[in-house]
């Protein structure tokens, strides 16, 4: 569409942002009303409609970008249909992504020891499969786009999604299902209202005096152990009239169980972790925008004239993640289980933190590589960076792939595992929203940096018309600095975090401070 660097990067970030924020709505609908299976089914159909419309935008004469083969500016109708198609896919992704992953995790019984361990491996192998699909997308499909045409690649994607729909539907008789339980947000609001209403009541002398449904009467979900964090919320579980508790128990806006109180605590604690992972997401956003733009300017030839498509270089990150996940699952987890006794090997937040540290290194390496590329452009403006191999970008892609194997998989498992049981799809959506919000923040940061550097230098600033007139190396150094400072904030939160603690036998078996444990 002949968009300049800033406009193209901004449009990619906007679409990626919407695509990864829509799951918040889709996850809520799945948990509250439709159930995960139905949400996946409906979303896949909408996804297929978007792909069909995208295919039509290439082949239908009235919807094509131009009537002539040489196209300097696309027709308005093509732009409208194109963006309508990709945002239809974006809406479908909102239901598909959080519901499918959480539906897969629902197939494991958390009360069964072996299945619980298998569930911990599930997220690793889920991402192994996801990266394998990504690798196919950025190599085979991108090659078809560059060397055949975009229309044929759309047909391939449409056929793949149609096959996916058929395979998913065939498995219907064999799945385990968890029904929708109504709005998962209402009980959280009820706890907050009850706590505020009873803010003047005294704390009980013992947590045992707080209201909880007896385990023998619990018909749905699991009971959580009491924790000493955010104690002001405990007042929601305090009886106002101990002489007449029956009437109070019937009003959920006046009295909440310990489990409901703890579920609200979990959600509030997750907000800070969510915020602390945003700089990580901003760094990840560069791999699908500026990193690929860099590859366009470099030498992508291999052997006798074969040219690597620019987007295919992203496959190195997928390979890095596949290697990282495999090593972690097959070697690191068994070793750490034996030495630490933790079923996961590393606890969730520690795994995420390790991945975030890889991202900081990625930005440093990216800055050094870009500085070298700009130096070659300066020394030989006519030839530019064409003599510099695209594989100079391989280290930064490989490192970010290794980091994703820790951070992204850890975030998925964290947000699925630590949310209330009734919010599992919404939990996966929260993970996706980290990437979505980060894409919007990345666009905002580009705008701010461009304005500040343009004002201070009087020229075009760090972002010019193209990469050769830009200073992406300085932008990468800025991201490395932001990530480094944020790491201190993240470690501070992680060291004070209390994981979900589930009752397995009786309330007396609850142990405060268990590290990532299910008691």
């Amino acid at each position: 569409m002949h968009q300049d660097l800033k406009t193209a990067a901004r449009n990619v970030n906007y679409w990626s942002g919407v695509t990864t924020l829509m799951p918040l709505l889709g996850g809520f609908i799945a948990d509250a009303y439709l159930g995960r299976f139905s949400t996946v089914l409906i979303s896949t159909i909408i996804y297929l409609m978007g792909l069909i419309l995208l295919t039509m935008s290439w082949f239908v004469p009235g919807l094509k970008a131009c009537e002539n083969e040489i196209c300097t500016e696309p027709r308005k109708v093509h732009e409208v249909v194109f963006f309508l198609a990709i945002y239809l896919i974006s809406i479908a992704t909102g239901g598909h992504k959080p519901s499918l992953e959480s539906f897969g995790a629902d197939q494991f019984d958390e009360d069964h020891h072996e299945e619980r361990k298998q569930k911990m491996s599930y997220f690793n192998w889920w991402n192994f499969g996801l990266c394998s699909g990504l690798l196919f997308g950025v190599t085979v499909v991108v090659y078809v786009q560059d060397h055949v045409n975009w229309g044929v690649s759309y047909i391939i994607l449409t056929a793949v999604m149609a096959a996916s729909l058929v395979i998913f539907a065939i498995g219907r008789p064999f799945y385990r299902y968890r029904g929708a339980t109504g709005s998962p947000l209402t009980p959280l609001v009820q706890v907050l209202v009850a706590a505020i209403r009873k803010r003047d009541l005294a704390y009980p002398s013992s947590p045992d005096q707080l209201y909880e449904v007896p385990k023998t009467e619990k018909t749905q979900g699991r009971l959580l152990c009491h924790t000493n964090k955010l104690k002001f919320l405990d007042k929601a579980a305090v009886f106002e009239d101990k002489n007449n508790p029956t009437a109070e128990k019937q009003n959920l806006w006046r009295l909440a169980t310990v489990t409901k109180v703890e579920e609200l605590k979990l959600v509030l604690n997750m907000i800070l972790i969510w915020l602390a992972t945003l700089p990580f997401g901003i760094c990840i956003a560069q791999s699908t925008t500026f990193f690929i733009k860099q590859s366009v300017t470099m030498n992508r030839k291999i052997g006798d004239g074969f040219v690597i498509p620019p987007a295919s270089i992203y496959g190195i990150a997928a390979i890095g993640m596949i290697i990282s996940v495999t090593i972690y699952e097959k070697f690191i987890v068994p070793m750490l289980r034996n030495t630490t006794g933790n079923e996961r090997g590393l606890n969730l937040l520690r795994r995420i933190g390790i991945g975030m540290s890889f991202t900081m290194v990625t930005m440093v390496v990216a800055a050094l590589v870009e500085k070298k590329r700009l130096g070659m452009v300066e020394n030989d403006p006519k030839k530019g960076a064409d003599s510099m191999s695209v594989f100079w970008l391989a280290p930064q892609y490989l490192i970010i792939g290794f980091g994703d194997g820790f951070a992204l998989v850890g975030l998925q498992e964290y947000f699925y595992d630590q949310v209330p049981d009734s919010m599992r799809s919404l939990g996966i959506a929260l993970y996706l929203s980290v990437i979505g919000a980060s894409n919007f923040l990345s666009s905002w940061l580009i705008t701010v940096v461009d304005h500040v550097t343009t004002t201070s230098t009087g020229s075009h600033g760090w972002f010019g018309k193209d990469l050769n007139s830009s200073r992406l190396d300085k932008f990468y150094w800025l991201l490395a600095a932001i990530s480094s400072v944020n790491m201190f904030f993240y470690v501070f939160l992680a060291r004070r975090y209390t994981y979900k603690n589930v009752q397995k036998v009786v309330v007396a078996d609850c142990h405060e401070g268990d590290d990532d444990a299910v008691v």
Side-chain angles (χ1 to χ4, degrees):
M1 292 187 179
H2 303 281
Q3 294 178 343
D4 59 43
L5 178 64
K6 286 183 289 187
T7 305
R10 194 178 296 119
N11 278 333
V12 170
N13 283 330
Y14 283 156
W15 181 82
S16 298
V18 171
T19 302
T20 43
L21 285 176
M22 277 301 295
L24 289 172
L25 176 61
F28 175 80
I29 292 173
D31 287 336
Y33 304 111
L34 294 181
R36 286 155 202 160
F37 177 84
S38 298
T39 304
V40 173
L41 199 62
I42 294 169
S43 298
T44 307
I45 293 170
I46 297 173
Y47 208 126
L48 199 55
M49 290 168 58
L51 287 170
I52 291 171
L53 186 60
L54 197 60
T55 306
M56 290 172 62
S57 73
W58 181 270
F59 288 106
V60 176
L63 302 178
K64 286 185 175 182
C66 297
E67 293 182 4
N68 304 319
E69 289 197 13
I70 299 175
C71 187
T72 57
E73 186 177 354
R75 292 189 297 185
K76 195 67 179 177
V77 65
H78 176 78
E79 287 189 340
V80 170
V81 172
F82 173 79
F83 281 107
L84 177 63
I86 64 171
Y87 276 97
L88 195 61
I89 292 170
S90 185
I91 292 170
T93 303
H96 189 273
K97 272 193 173 182
S99 304
L100 184 60
E101 186 171 358
S102 56
F103 184 67
D106 286 346
Q107 305 310 305
F108 301 91
D109 184 359
E110 292 184 350
D111 293 328
H112 188 280
H113 177 70
E114 284 303 316
E115 287 198 26
R116 187 170 71 248
K117 289 173 67 176
Q118 290 170 353
K119 188 174 188 174
M120 294 172 188
S121 297
Y122 162 77
F123 290 96
N124 290 325
W125 295 119
W126 167 274
N127 282 276
F128 183 96
L130 199 65
C131 286
S132 299
L134 175 63
L135 196 57
F136 174 81
V138 298
T139 52
V140 176
V141 176
V142 167
Y143 181 83
V144 171
Q145 289 173 348
D146 281 12
H147 293 84
V148 185
N149 61 53
W150 287 83
V152 174
S153 71
Y154 295 156
I155 292 174
I156 293 172
L157 296 174
T158 305
V160 168
M161 183 53 72
S164 167
L165 177 60
V166 172
I167 293 169
F168 181 71
I170 289 173
R172 185 171 185 172
F174 310 104
Y175 298 137
R176 289 174 175 173
Y177 298 89
R178 297 178 188 270
T181 56
S183 172
L185 302 181
T186 302
L188 303 182
V189 177
Q190 289 172 339
V191 171
L192 191 60
V193 170
I196 293 173
R197 179 178 289 175
K198 293 186 280 190
R199 61 188 179 277
D200 295 328
L201 294 181
Y203 285 107
S205 57
S206 169
D208 294 338
Q209 297 176 19
L210 298 172
Y211 171 59
E212 181 60 282
V213 176
K215 196 169 182 65
T216 54
E217 298 178 15
K218 184 75 171 175
T219 58
Q220 192 174 35
R222 300 178 295 171
L223 298 178
L224 299 183
C225 300
H226 174 264
T227 61
N228 290 321
K229 301 288 180 66
L230 301 173
K231 290 189 67 173
F232 70 94
L233 293 174
D234 290 344
K235 292 189 176 182
V238 175
F239 287 104
E240 289 181 282
D241 185 2
K242 294 182 180 179
N243 296 323
N244 185 25
T246 304
E248 194 173 352
K249 288 179 184 179
Q250 295 175 349
N251 189 341
L252 300 179
W253 295 91
R254 290 182 58 191
L255 183 66
T257 64
V258 169
T259 293
K260 294 300 180 186
V261 172
E262 292 302 317
E263 287 180 344
L264 179 57
K265 291 181 183 180
L266 286 172
V267 173
L268 293 178
N269 282 328
M270 293 176 80
I271 292 173
L272 291 175
I273 298 296
W274 186 89
L275 291 172
T277 56
L278 290 177
F280 160 76
I282 293 174
C283 294
I284 293 295
Q286 311 316 310
S287 64
T288 55
T289 51
F290 289 137
F291 284 13
I292 292 177
K293 282 286 188 181
Q294 285 175 276
S295 69
V296 174
T297 69
M298 301 170 79
N299 182 8
R300 293 177 278 113
K301 292 180 181 178
I302 297 179
D304 298 329
F306 179 79
V307 180
I308 304 173
S312 294
I313 196 69
Y314 189 79
I316 296 175
I319 292 170
M321 190 171 180
I322 289 171
I323 294 171
S324 174
V325 166
T326 304
I327 292 174
Y328 183 80
E329 174 65 27
K330 289 298 184 182
F331 299 102
I332 297 178
V333 170
M335 181 181 67
L336 290 178
R337 276 177 178 169
N338 293 330
T339 55
T340 66
N342 190 322
E343 284 185 324
R344 284 192 170 89
L346 290 171
N347 72 42
L348 294 173
L349 294 182
R350 188 171 291 129
R351 181 178 184 177
I352 295 166
I354 291 172
M356 290 169 64
S357 65
F358 272 97
T359 308
M360 288 189 296
V361 176
T362 300
M363 289 298 105
V364 172
V365 172
L368 295 174
V369 171
E370 176 62 7
K371 179 67 175 177
K372 178 176 176 60
R373 193 193 69 81
L374 289 173
M376 296 186 72
V377 172
E378 188 177 349
N379 293 332
D380 190 353
K382 289 185 178 179
K383 197 170 186 180
D386 191 52
S387 60
M388 186 176 179
S389 172
V390 73
F391 288 104
W392 275 90
L393 298 178
Q396 64 200 57
Y397 270 115
L398 206 56
I399 295 169
I400 207 168
F402 286 150
D404 287 351
F406 285 88
L408 287 184
V409 181
L411 282 169
Q412 290 172 30
E413 191 172 357
Y414 168 76
F415 281 110
Y416 176 88
D417 184 75
Q418 293 299 301
V419 293
D421 290 354
S422 61
M423 294 176 60
R424 288 295 175 65
S425 295
L426 203 51
I428 296 297
L430 285 171
Y431 146 70
L432 294 167
S433 72
V434 170
I435 309 301
S438 298
N439 277 287
F440 283 118
L441 285 175
S442 179
S443 294
W444 173 81
L445 187 61
I446 291 170
T447 303
V448 171
V449 170
D450 183 50
H451 175 74
V452 171
T453 55
T454 300
T455 303
S456 60
T457 61
S459 59
H460 57 67
W462 289 2
F463 302 101
K465 178 69 176 176
D466 53 38
L467 283 187
N468 293 342
S469 60
S470 302
R471 291 304 306 267
L472 282 187
D473 57 323
K474 292 184 177 181
F475 184 62
Y476 292 154
W477 281 116
L478 175 64
L479 292 180
I482 291 172
S483 298
S484 301
V485 172
N486 177 70
M487 182 57 77
F488 289 101
F489 175 56
Y490 176 81
V491 171
F492 174 82
L493 294 176
R495 289 175 65 88
R496 287 159 179 77
Y497 188 84
T498 301
Y499 289 90
K500 180 194 286 187
N501 206 352
V502 180
Q503 292 183 27
K504 282 295 182 182
V505 186
V506 291
V507 176
D509 285 341
C510 292
H511 301 288
E512 177 80 36
D514 279 1
D515 184 34
D516 199 9
V518 179
V519 182

